[in-house]
Amino acid sequence: MREALELTGPLDAELWGSSMLGLFWRARDTLSLDEIGSDPAVTFGDPLIEAMGRIGGAEARLALAVIATVDKGELGLRAGEIRAALPEEPGEALPAWVADLGEAVVTDAAVMRENVFDDAYTMFLEARNRGGEAHAVGVLIDNNLGGMAKDILLVESIDSVQEIVREHPPRDGDVRLERIAPGVAAGRIHAAIELTDMTWDPPVSEDYAELRALALRRANEAPGYVVPAERSEIPSAERDRLIDEFLSSPEGEGFAPDREEAYAASLAIDFCADYVDGRPLRWSPVAVELFMADWIPRKVLGDADLFARLPTALDAWVRFAGRKSKLPEWAIAATCEAIPQWHETMVRRSDDPAAAGPAKEFLAAAKASGIDLEDQEALNTFVAGWNARSEVA
């Protein structure tokens, strides 16, 4: 509450409130099983605002006003109610800028993305407070993690970002910034943050939690809100067509349809289609790392023959995908060079039971019990027994 009295204006106050809400968001992983699914802002913040109400005074009214502005959920509503019930004592008038809280107007939006690998992009929303103070919030959205928000930054304006890109262009001009409708940016920001919220221990930056509430606030204020279209699943017929095209291409013509190389290519397609961003032809060094060092060990029950042949098959698939996507030769080469770097890690983690996901654990248990994984009836029987043992445990 004493910190609140030192705030200098609407943006400073929103940053302070967002940082506080970020503490609650970080602590959500400490919730008990009974509390999972509840709003961590309410769980951790409600005792705090109740204490503010009991103490009272200008400090309490100001702090509660900020929380009510930044959080648009249950905690914010409750903070507004408690603040409204507090009397204003003589000599305890709040700063004049408090009247401008929540009055920021979104004036511009832009997206900054990579031209070549397209591993991630940043959505910017620019806003201006009633007093004329401008700022822009940028949310980094990771395509390799299915569109999850990973980082949030605060800058002076979108023009300042454009100037930096112009004065310090990356290699081969690999970044472009273009204006978009604010409502489109807001929809993508909401979807990305929601996906991060649904993820256990997401790989976010140090600043993410502190600026999360501010980014959501700006997205809520954007005019012309557009709900992003849901990603459609790639049908199995389309995946089969891609495999057939690959096997008849110059890159894959030496591979037989019933051998490990074709299976490895199908795994690469499933990885991008189901777990990345739905584009099986988009590959990069980072995508290779995630595929080989994380996804394969967690998801795939393979043998030594598959792991020995996978690098060759993936190299051919990356070259095929790069040619079809018209990637520059340097980008295809850089992606292929990443493949041997992760082979040893893939094999080591695939042998580690602790690295396996639930599906792989189940298949490994079925195989160890002598179940033919191609026998659906036998698998169904094993599933029934597996579920029964899980319920007892």
Side-chain angles (χ1 to χ4, degrees), residues 97-120:
W97 56 259
V98 173
D100 295 336
L101 278 173
E103 298 298 323
V105 176
V106 174
T107 58
D108 202 358
V111 57
M112 184 171 67
R113 63 173 72 250
E114 303 168 343
N115 287 319
V116 180
F117 291 129
D118 199 19
D119 284 319

Side-chain angles (χ1 to χ4, degrees), residues 7-10 62 93-101 130:
L7 299 173
T8 60
L62 181 52
L94 299 183
W97 56 259
V98 173
D100 295 336
L101 278 173
R130 184 183 289 174

Side-chain angles (χ1 to χ4, degrees), residues 85-275:
L86 291 178
E88 181 176 338
E89 301 295 339
E92 291 185 344
L94 299 183
W97 56 259
V98 173
D100 295 336
L101 278 173
E103 298 298 323
V105 176
V106 174
T107 58
D108 202 358
V111 57
M112 184 171 67
R113 63 173 72 250
E114 303 168 343
N115 287 319
V116 180
F117 291 129
D118 199 19
D119 284 319
Y121 60 96
T122 302
M123 282 289 180
F124 289 97
L125 282 173
E126 185 172 316
R128 187 174 297 275
N129 290 318
R130 184 183 289 174
E133 184 180 20
H135 59 279
V137 177
V139 179
L140 177 69
I141 301 174
D142 194 321
N143 285 327
N144 290 326
L145 296 178
M148 177 189 302
K150 281 185 61 177
D151 193 9
I152 304 176
L153 65 152
L154 185 69
V155 296
E156 292 182 2
S157 65
I158 293 174
D159 284 341
S160 67
V161 176
Q162 194 164 36
E163 184 177 350
I164 292 173
V165 172
R166 183 170 56 249
E167 294 181 354
H168 305 281
R171 181 184 67 173
D172 298 312
D174 192 27
V175 172
R176 71 180 186 276
L177 188 144
E178 55 190 29
R179 254 63 176 193
I180 59 173
V184 173
R188 299 302 293 270
I189 287 172
H190 268 148
I193 291 179
E194 181 179 355
L195 181 57
T196 304
D197 288 349
M198 294 168 57
T199 304
W200 178 264
D201 192 22
V204 297
S205 70
E206 292 183 3
D207 296 333
Y208 178 86
E210 291 188 359
L211 293 172
R212 173 183 170 276
L214 180 64
L216 287 173
R217 173 76 191 178
R218 292 294 169 264
N220 289 335
E221 295 166 340
Y225 189 87
V226 177
V227 177
E230 291 188 9
R231 191 176 75 201
S232 57
E233 183 177 351
I234 299 179
S236 56
E238 175 63 18
R239 303 184 195 209
D240 292 341
R241 186 196 65 76
L242 274 175
I243 286 292
D244 292 341
E245 184 180 356
F246 167 62
L247 295 177
S248 62
S249 71
E251 295 85 2
E253 61 181 354
F255 303 140
D258 58 349
R259 296 302 300 274
E260 300 288 10
E261 290 86 357
Y263 177 53
S266 71
L267 291 174
I269 292 174
D270 291 343
F271 167 69
C272 287
D274 300 331
Y275 295 90

Side-chain angles (χ1 to χ4, degrees), residues 21 24-25 28 31 35-46 71-76 197 212:
L21 292 170
F24 306 151
W25 184 84
R28 75 196 192 286
L31 293 173
E35 294 171 321
I36 289 178
S38 61
D39 185 351
V42 175
T43 301
F44 299 112
D46 196 61
D71 184 86
K72 303 314 293 180
E74 184 179 343
L75 181 68
D197 288 349
R212 173 183 170 276

Side-chain angles (χ1 to χ4, degrees), residues 263 296 299-303 306-307 360 363-365 367 373:
Y263 177 53
I296 289 289
K299 298 289 186 179
V300 179
L301 184 62
D303 53 22
L306 172 64
F307 296 142
K360 183 177 178 180
L363 292 176
K367 188 174 182 180
L373 300 183

